[in-house]
Amino acid sequence: MEIYSFKTLPSTQKYLLEKIKSGELEAPVAVLAFNQTAGLGSRENTWSGGEGNFFASFAISLQRLPEDLVLLSASIYFSFIMKKVLNDLGEKVWLKWPNDFYIDQDKVGGTITQKVNNILICGIGINLKNNQYGFRALKCDVSAEKLLKLYLEALDKFPQWKDIFSEYQVEFERSREFSVHIENFKKGLSGAILCEDGSLILEGKRVFSLR
């Protein structure tokens, strides 16, 4: 996969989204920025971690994804592969449903996924080091370039969703201490039922990651 690197971008996700829509770039392709000033986060928040952290987005065609993957759970799929890469680097990162990277009780990153025609564009932000806001970061001394390379190598194996899910459903139990925002309402996950497609049964309703 070709990688385009930039010293700084407002958002790797927005940049790649615009280039894919205009036809200037085609999947598979990845974008890496060493600083991001207005990244996309969940619920239209920004993710601006500061220089030296991990800001990357990639575009992949739907045809390359496992047939058993429900697209509405693509963020879980992409996130869990990154989580496993970070674990291999010695980091005790776990994945809070559906796409937030945590160490203990602290968020250190997240994933956002958007669909454009037959292409998925996934953006990942991770605190590689403490920034000006004092957010917790990883401990391993891995560069953004190295982490992206390791991640794309792992992603290129395209494990089946059922294999990812078999591991994730055990880890999901840690999410029960937390809440998520569903349709602008904060919902606790203590009584949630995790379904095999990655969705939740929450207060009698089925919900997907939505992002």
Side-chain angles (χ1 to χ4, degrees), residues 29-56:
V29 63
V31 172
L32 178 69
F34 297 102
N35 191 20
Q36 183 169 265
T37 57
L40 293 177
S42 59
R43 305 189 311 279
E44 299 183 356
N45 293 325
T46 60
W47 180 271
S48 304
E51 188 173 355
N53 291 294
F54 183 83
F55 313 103

Side-chain angles (χ1 to χ4, degrees), residues 39-103:
L40 293 177
S42 59
R43 305 189 311 279
E44 299 183 356
N45 293 325
T46 60
W47 180 271
S48 304
E51 188 173 355
N53 291 294
F54 183 83
F55 313 103
S57 294
F58 61 89
I60 203 86
S61 66
L62 301 185
Q63 290 78 9
R64 298 195 67 189
L65 298 174
E67 292 182 358
D68 66 339
L69 174 62
V70 176
L71 291 184
L72 289 174
S73 291
S75 285
I76 297 175
Y77 180 81
F78 293 135
S79 299
F80 200 77
I81 292 174
M82 174 60 86
K83 176 259 180 188
K84 288 167 67 69
V85 169
L86 294 173
N87 289 168
D88 288 343
L89 291 171
E91 293 289 343
K92 295 182 179 180
V93 172
W94 64 278
L95 183 64
K96 173 183 168 289
W97 191 91
N99 52 5
D100 289 331
F101 302 108
Y102 271 68
I103 296 177

Side-chain angles (χ1 to χ4, degrees), residues 40-194:
L40 293 177
S42 59
R43 305 189 311 279
E44 299 183 356
N45 293 325
T46 60
W47 180 271
S48 304
E51 188 173 355
N53 291 294
F54 183 83
F55 313 103
S57 294
F58 61 89
I60 203 86
S61 66
L62 301 185
Q63 290 78 9
R64 298 195 67 189
L65 298 174
E67 292 182 358
D68 66 339
L69 174 62
V70 176
L71 291 184
L72 289 174
S73 291
S75 285
I76 297 175
Y77 180 81
F78 293 135
S79 299
F80 200 77
I81 292 174
M82 174 60 86
K83 176 259 180 188
K84 288 167 67 69
V85 169
L86 294 173
N87 289 168
D88 288 343
L89 291 171
E91 293 289 343
K92 295 182 179 180
V93 172
W94 64 278
L95 183 64
K96 173 183 168 289
W97 191 91
N99 52 5
D100 289 331
F101 302 108
Y102 271 68
I103 296 177
D104 299 326
Q105 305 291 306
D106 300 317
K107 182 176 177 179
V108 295
T111 302
I112 187 167
T113 304
Q114 298 181 69
K115 180 176 175 291
V116 179
N117 298 323
N118 66 336
I119 293 173
L120 279 184
I121 299 177
C122 176
I124 301 179
I126 299 173
N127 295 335
L128 297 184
K129 61 182 183 180
N130 294 98
N131 55 45
Q132 65 267 36
Y133 302 108
F135 295 131
R136 187 167 178 177
L138 305 185
K139 294 182 178 180
C140 65
D141 187 22
V142 63
S143 67
E145 302 100 315
K146 179 65 174 178
L147 182 55
L148 181 58
K149 180 180 178 182
L150 291 172
Y151 177 73
L152 293 178
E153 288 174 353
L155 177 64
D156 195 51
K157 298 175 183 177
F158 290 105
Q160 294 294 301
W161 165 253
K162 63 180 179 64
D163 297 327
I164 292 290
F165 181 78
S166 67
E167 294 185 60
Y168 179 64
Q169 64 181 338
V170 176
E171 186 164 287
F172 173 76
E173 295 304 310
R174 300 188 67 171
S175 291
R176 296 191 183 281
E177 301 176 42
F178 295 82
S179 300
V180 294
H181 285 84
I182 304 293
E183 296 177 350
N184 295 321
F185 291 97
K186 194 174 183 179
K187 305 286 187 179
L189 295 177
S190 59
I193 299 172
L194 178 65

